[in-house]
């Protein structure tokens, strides 16, 4: 969430930068200014009324001691009137603060100057590419959903029977590959200095609001109505909320945390070829990395996180590329995002497997996540997170890119985790 102070002191900059996200912020900021002026005026009136009330309350005792009962009674009546006035002013102030908050939360995070202009994913900038494209026989290569059936790795139909579309059942080598990838990603994160935690899979409204899923993405989350809880769309939500209403010490920054979780997304409106097989699921596994850092260090942290994810896709021997997202494709909460994609040979398309983002103080302001600096003053932290990695499309690319006549080859770095070098033909 942006701050009133930033919006009113940097109005032209805010309007210009939010325009990169194709948001016309001018009318909202003008309304914020008007309401904030009324709020300030109300606060001044409230302060004056309280000061007068305190002054008269002190005078009443003196007047009573001096035997001036009529004046004391008059002062009491004025105090009673002032109490009514302060109640009305407090109600007005609260109403104005609620309106102000309701306007501010409509505005997305301002994008970094590094975010390129653009409206759609086609306008994203390719930052870097790597890996080697495998040489496969186009006449015989199969997409992962056919490989999953041929090798009895994933049962999509059984998932439909149990839960519905988008909830696959992993079997045999498929289940072992899932478990191996989770452990591989967690071990790599731990070796890179991330503290492993195991978070809840459901969160309350405050947690959803803190990381920006609510109210912006409410329709994409599964809601447990009876208990008013939400199934998490990513471990980012519970992990980042560990630091809600927390004041950290500067010496302890950056804080680095990793977590595995199942993720749940309604993906309302998804259809077409892009949702086939593992391309888009309602439930999937993912390992997340989260950092809390000082503002002046957060972009160094972002660079380090991007390099870390690059090391993972490199170890998995997948062709990959890094995209810097344009203003029209970047998320509501992000200031700068880099997406990782791996190439799927049989589908002949790039698959997104990770987003690494710096939210600057946008989430921290909602979370009240702060740190105490060298002068013992509190400042808002910067929060960052990244997928490291999401499993479904990684699995899709691994199956498709490593198919051979003998079976599906396992990348060398993953073999200590799978316990096998190849998924053999049944």
């Amino acid at each position: 969430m942006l701050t009133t102070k930033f919006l009113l002191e940097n109005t032209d900059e805010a309007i210009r930068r939010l325009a990169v996200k194709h948001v016309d912020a001018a009318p909202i900021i003008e309304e914020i200014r008007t309401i904030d002026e009324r709020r300030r005026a109300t606060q001044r009136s409230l302060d004056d009324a309280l000061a007068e009330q305190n002054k008269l309350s002190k005078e009443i005792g003196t007047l009573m001691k001096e035997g001036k009962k009529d004046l004391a009674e008059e002062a009491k009546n004025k105090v009673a009137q002032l109490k009514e006035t302060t109640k009305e002013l407090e109600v007005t102030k609260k109403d104005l603060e609620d309106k102000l908050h309701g306007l501010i939360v409509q505005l997305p995070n301002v994008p970094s100057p590094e975010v390129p202009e653009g409206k759609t994913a086609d306008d994203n900038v390719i930052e870097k590419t790597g890996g080697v494209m495998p040489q496969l026989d186009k006449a015989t290569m199969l997409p992962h959903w056919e490989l999953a059936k041929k090798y009895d790795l994933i049962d999509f139909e059984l998932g439909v029977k149990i839960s519905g579309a988008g909830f696959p059942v992993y079997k045999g080598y498929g289940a072992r590959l899932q478990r191996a990838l989770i452990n591989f990603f967690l071990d790599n994160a731990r070796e890179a200095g991330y503290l492993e935690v195991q978070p809840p899979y459901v969160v309350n409204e405050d947690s959803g609001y803190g990381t920006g899923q609510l109210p912006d993405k409410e329709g994409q989350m599964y809601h447990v109505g009876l208990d008013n809880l939400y199934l998490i769309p990513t471990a980012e939500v519970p992990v980042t909320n560990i630091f809600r209403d927390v004041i950290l010490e500067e010496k302890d920054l950056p804080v680095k945390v990793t977590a595995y979780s199942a993720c749940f997304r309604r993906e309302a409106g998804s259809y077409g070829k892009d949702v086939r097989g593992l391309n888009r699921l309602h439930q999937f596994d993912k390992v997340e990395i989260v950092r809390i850092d000082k503002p002046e260090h957060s972009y160094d942290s972002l660079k380090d996180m991007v390099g870390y994810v690059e090391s993972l896709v490199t170890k998995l021997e997948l062709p990959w590329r890094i995209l810097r997202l344009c203003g029209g494709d970047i998320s509501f909460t992000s200031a700068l995002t880099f997406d990782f994609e791996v190439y799927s040979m049989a589908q002949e398309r790039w698959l997104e497997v990770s987003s690494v983002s710096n939210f600057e103080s946008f989430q921290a302001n909602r979370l009240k996540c702060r740190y105490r600096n060298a002068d013992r003053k509190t400042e808002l932290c910067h929060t960052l997170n990244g997928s490291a990695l999401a499993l479904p499309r990684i699995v899709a690319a691994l199956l498709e890119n490593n198919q051979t006549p003998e079976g599906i080859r396992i990348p060398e770095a993953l073999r200590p985790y799978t316990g096998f070098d190849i998924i053999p033909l049944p």
Side-chain angles (χ1 to χ4, degrees):
M1 183 175 70
L2 303 174
T3 64
T4 306
K5 184 174 186 291
F6 170 79
L7 291 169
L8 299 185
E9 292 182 359
N10 306 276
T11 300
D12 291 343
E13 180 189 1
I15 291 171
R16 176 179 56 79
R17 291 172 66 184
L18 286 170
V20 176
K21 284 191 173 183
H22 305 280
V23 173
D24 181 8
I28 294 179
I29 295 177
E30 188 56 38
E31 193 172 353
I32 288 171
R33 187 182 301 280
T34 300
I35 292 175
D36 187 60
E37 287 172 355
R38 290 173 57 196
R39 182 193 64 80
R40 289 173 181 272
T42 302
Q43 183 67 62
R44 286 193 295 269
S45 298
L46 179 59
D47 292 341
D48 291 344
L50 289 170
E52 182 66 15
Q53 183 179 316
N54 290 335
K55 178 184 173 185
L56 288 171
S57 296
K58 291 177 182 178
E59 289 178 358
I60 290 170
T62 303
L63 291 169
M64 291 295 289
K65 288 179 182 179
E66 294 175 353
K68 299 176 181 178
K69 292 184 179 180
D70 290 344
L71 291 175
E73 196 62 34
E74 186 179 335
K76 286 181 181 180
N77 290 334
K78 287 182 179 178
V79 168
Q81 291 173 3
L82 285 166
K83 284 183 178 179
E84 289 299 316
T85 300
T86 55
K87 284 181 182 178
E88 292 173 3
L89 288 169
E90 283 171 348
V91 170
T92 301
K93 178 190 169 190
K94 177 66 167 57
D95 181 57
L96 291 169
E97 287 174 343
D98 289 346
K99 287 180 178 177
L100 200 60
H101 182 268
L103 288 168
I104 291 174
V105 297
Q106 293 178 38
L107 293 173
N109 197 2
V110 292
S112 159
E114 296 181 43
V115 173
E117 299 277 354
K119 293 184 177 180
T120 69
D122 293 335
D123 300 316
N124 294 334
V125 176
I126 299 174
E127 291 281 306
K128 191 177 180 181
T129 61
V132 178
M133 292 286 185
Q135 301 299 312
L136 300 180
D137 183 351
K138 289 190 176 183
T140 60
M141 67 181 181
L142 299 174
H144 69 271
W145 53 86
E146 292 186 24
L147 290 168
K149 186 174 183 179
K150 178 178 179 179
Y151 286 84
D152 198 23
L153 304 174
I154 308 167
D155 195 325
F156 294 101
E157 289 74 20
L158 183 56
V160 171
K161 171 188 172 182
I162 296 169
S163 303
F167 296 90
V169 176
Y170 298 88
K171 302 163 62 179
Y173 282 101
R176 292 172 66 184
L177 180 59
Q178 286 281 115
R179 180 158 48 88
L181 282 165
I182 292 166
N183 288 333
F184 172 72
F185 293 145
L186 284 173
D187 282 355
N188 273 267
R190 190 173 62 252
E191 290 167 8
Y194 289 86
L195 172 70
E196 182 180 345
V197 300
Q198 189 171 8
Y201 288 180
V202 294
V203 294
N204 54 30
E205 280 187 350
D206 287 343
S207 295
Y209 170 80
T211 45
Q213 275 69 31
L214 297 177
D216 181 54
K217 296 183 177 67
E218 187 169 5
Q220 297 179 25
M221 298 172 73
Y222 284 101
H223 185 220
V224 185
L226 186 63
D227 300 300
N228 196 28
L229 296 171
Y230 293 85
L231 297 182
I232 62 171
T234 165
E236 169 204 346
V237 181
V239 171
T240 311
N241 271 277
I242 292 171
F243 306 97
R244 174 157 45 95
D245 298 320
V246 169
I247 299 177
L248 299 162
E249 293 296 330
E250 184 175 11
K251 64 180 177 61
D252 296 327
L253 297 176
V255 173
K256 301 166 64 175
V257 183
T258 187
Y260 155 75
S261 78
C263 303
F264 305 88
R265 299 185 186 181
R266 293 186 63 241
E267 299 287 7
S270 297
Y271 61 92
K273 66 176 183 178
D274 290 349
V275 305
R276 192 164 185 186
L278 297 172
N279 287 340
R280 195 174 297 275
L281 301 176
H282 293 306
Q283 178 183 323
F284 60 93
D285 295 312
K286 181 156 70 80
V287 172
E288 194 79 0
I289 52 174
V290 170
R291 286 204 195 192
I292 314 293
D293 209 342
K294 296 189 295 184
E296 60 266 32
H297 290 166
S298 69
Y299 278 93
D300 287 336
S301 275
L302 180 64
K303 182 179 179 181
D304 185 67
M305 292 169 75
V306 169
Y308 170 71
V309 176
E310 180 184 322
S311 74
L312 295 179
V313 289
T314 299
K315 288 177 181 178
L316 291 176
E317 303 171 28
L318 292 169
W320 55 266
R321 68 181 186 181
I322 305 172
L323 305 177
R324 181 156 45 105
L325 299 195
C326 70
D329 201 31
I330 197 172
S331 75
F332 184 88
T333 52
S334 177
L336 180 63
T337 295
F338 293 96
D339 271 6
F340 277 79
E341 296 181 337
V342 296
Y343 195 73
S344 163
M345 289 301 298
Q347 297 178 76
E348 298 183 297
R349 56 188 291 256
W350 290 96
L351 304 175
E352 180 195 333
V353 294
S354 175
S355 282
V356 185
S357 301
N358 187 350
F359 304 106
E360 295 188 355
S361 62
F362 191 83
Q363 285 183 337
N365 190 32
R366 289 175 172 237
L367 294 160
K368 299 297 180 284
C369 174
R370 294 159 289 171
Y371 75 98
R372 193 174 281 109
N373 64 23
D375 297 326
R376 308 308 292 165
K377 294 180 180 178
T378 58
E379 297 182 37
L380 287 172
C381 298
H382 278 193
T383 64
L384 306 93
N385 84 276
S387 313
L389 290 158
L391 268 67
R393 294 171 188 167
I394 287 289
V395 170
L398 286 175
L399 296 180
E400 293 182 9
N401 295 1
N402 291 290
Q403 55 186 302
T404 73
E406 294 75 31
I408 299 171
R409 188 185 69 86
I410 300 298
E412 189 173 344
L414 200 56
R415 292 173 188 173
Y417 294 88
T418 58
F420 49 86
D421 298 350
I422 194 168
I423 299 175
L425 283 166

